[in-house]
Amino acid sequence: MRTYLLAILFTLAAPLAAHAQSADLVLCDRVAADPSDPDKPADVKGVSDIAAADVATAIKFCKQAASSSRRAMFALGRAYAANRQTNEAIAAWRKAAEKGSSAAMVELGVAYGTGSGVAKDEAQARRLFEKAAQSGNPRGVSNLAALGGAGGAAPADPAQARALLGKAAETNAEAQYQLGLMLANGNGGEKDDVAARALFEKAAAQNHPGALERMGAFAQEGRGGPKDKDAAKAYYERAAALGDEDAKKALERLRCPYAIKDKQGKLVTTLCF
């Protein structure tokens, strides 16, 4: 009987102990979880940016939870970054990445890619994005594709980039846009305007500026679907409102479609409507 009672007590105590251990993590999640972190439970909403008033709270509770949670260690890095403690943020992300946090790998990759807090090293950035992408992190995939395309260069392995983007494109607007570009240009496989347009349309529905601009171009030219000047203009306007410079230029070309040039072929003026 005594053994049976002890078993019951331990069973009842276990959830309480687990709850006590996770209290710091719960508070850390509430103020500092990243909505795009694959480690984040579905019931945790996360915050795009840590509020200034929550930074101290985030550092306190994420630090306490970080010893047993890579998610908290990653969030601690976010909190330090929000507090402009770059060295501490990099250190926290390194520890989280070592524990397998793909979100931390992405942040470290961004740091190396931009030279923020560390010496700029695109090769290291690529390695980190590749590792995150292999873990299925959508930002890792899209950043890897974007890094590969920087300066007009193709990804080191376009076919692999396509495959990775294909997985991430199920839910991620940036991945949809990047994969759409690869399909539209025939990078890493067959050129497919219809599939590219479908991907741009998905990303455009999520207000991705680049995808909105591409949808405008595809609608204007009739690529991968019907030609529709009014729809093209509407897409360009949405993209331009979000700051896309190519869309702004496209709108100007729609407004002023005729160019008058001199004998040497130099532009004299445009006819606008």
Side-chain angles (χ1 to χ4, degrees):
M1 177 64 73
R2 184 170 178 274
T3 302
Y4 178 71
L5 289 173
L6 285 173
I8 293 176
L9 288 173
F10 280 126
T11 302
L12 292 173
L16 294 175
H19 180 74
Q21 290 172 357
S22 64
D24 293 329
L25 182 56
V26 168
L27 289 168
C28 173
D29 279 339
R30 186 176 300 168
V31 295
D34 187 338
S36 67
D37 184 1
D39 283 344
K40 179 185 68 61
D43 60 344
V44 174
K45 185 178 180 181
V47 292
S48 297
D49 297 295
I50 300 174
D54 291 332
V55 169
T57 301
I59 291 175
K60 176 181 178 181
F61 289 105
C62 292
K63 184 183 291 186
Q64 291 173 359
S67 61
S68 58
S69 169
R70 72 185 188 190
R71 182 169 86 252
M73 184 63 77
F74 166 63
L76 177 60
R78 296 188 76 216
Y80 279 136
N83 205 38
R84 298 184 179 180
Q85 293 176 254
T86 305
N87 291 338
E88 289 83 352
I90 295 293
W93 287 331
R94 284 193 197 284
K95 291 178 182 177
E98 288 169 1
K99 294 180 179 180
S101 169
S102 63
M105 295 172 198
V106 171
E107 292 301 337
L108 281 175
V110 171
Y112 277 108
T114 60
S116 177
V118 293
K120 189 172 182 179
D121 186 341
E122 287 194 4
Q124 179 66 355
R126 183 186 297 277
R127 283 192 288 272
L128 286 160
F129 291 149
E130 285 177 345
K131 193 170 182 180
Q134 288 164 2
S135 298
N137 187 297
R139 282 188 65 213
V141 174
S142 56
N143 283 358
L144 177 61
L147 182 63
D157 188 340
Q160 182 190 37
R162 254 204 202 196
L164 291 170
L165 283 167
K167 295 177 182 178
E170 295 174 7
T171 57
N172 184 267
E174 178 64 20
Q176 290 159 5
Y177 170 66
Q178 294 289 347
L179 180 57
L181 291 177
M182 294 195 78
L183 290 168
N185 296 323
N187 293 335
E190 293 283 333
K191 184 175 180 179
D192 190 337
D193 280 350
V194 174
R197 183 166 177 156
L199 286 163
F200 290 144
E201 190 169 18
K202 285 183 181 180
Q206 299 168 69
N207 286 322
H208 188 290
L212 285 164
E213 186 277 331
R214 285 293 82 202
M215 275 303 298
F218 271 51
Q220 184 180 359
E221 300 166 17
R223 285 183 65 180
K227 191 172 184 177
D228 189 331
K229 185 177 178 181
D230 291 335
K233 184 180 179 183
Y235 279 120
Y236 285 143
E237 287 174 341
R238 287 173 61 192
L242 293 170
D244 189 277
E245 294 300 324
D246 288 334
K248 293 176 184 178
K249 293 175 184 176
L251 281 173
E252 185 63 18
R253 288 194 296 271
L254 286 179
R255 192 177 73 86
C256 305
Y258 299 107
I260 298 176
K261 299 180 181 180
D262 62 19
K263 292 181 179 180
Q264 286 72 41
K266 294 180 180 179
L267 180 67
V268 176
T269 186
T270 54
L271 295 179
C272 303
F273 300 97

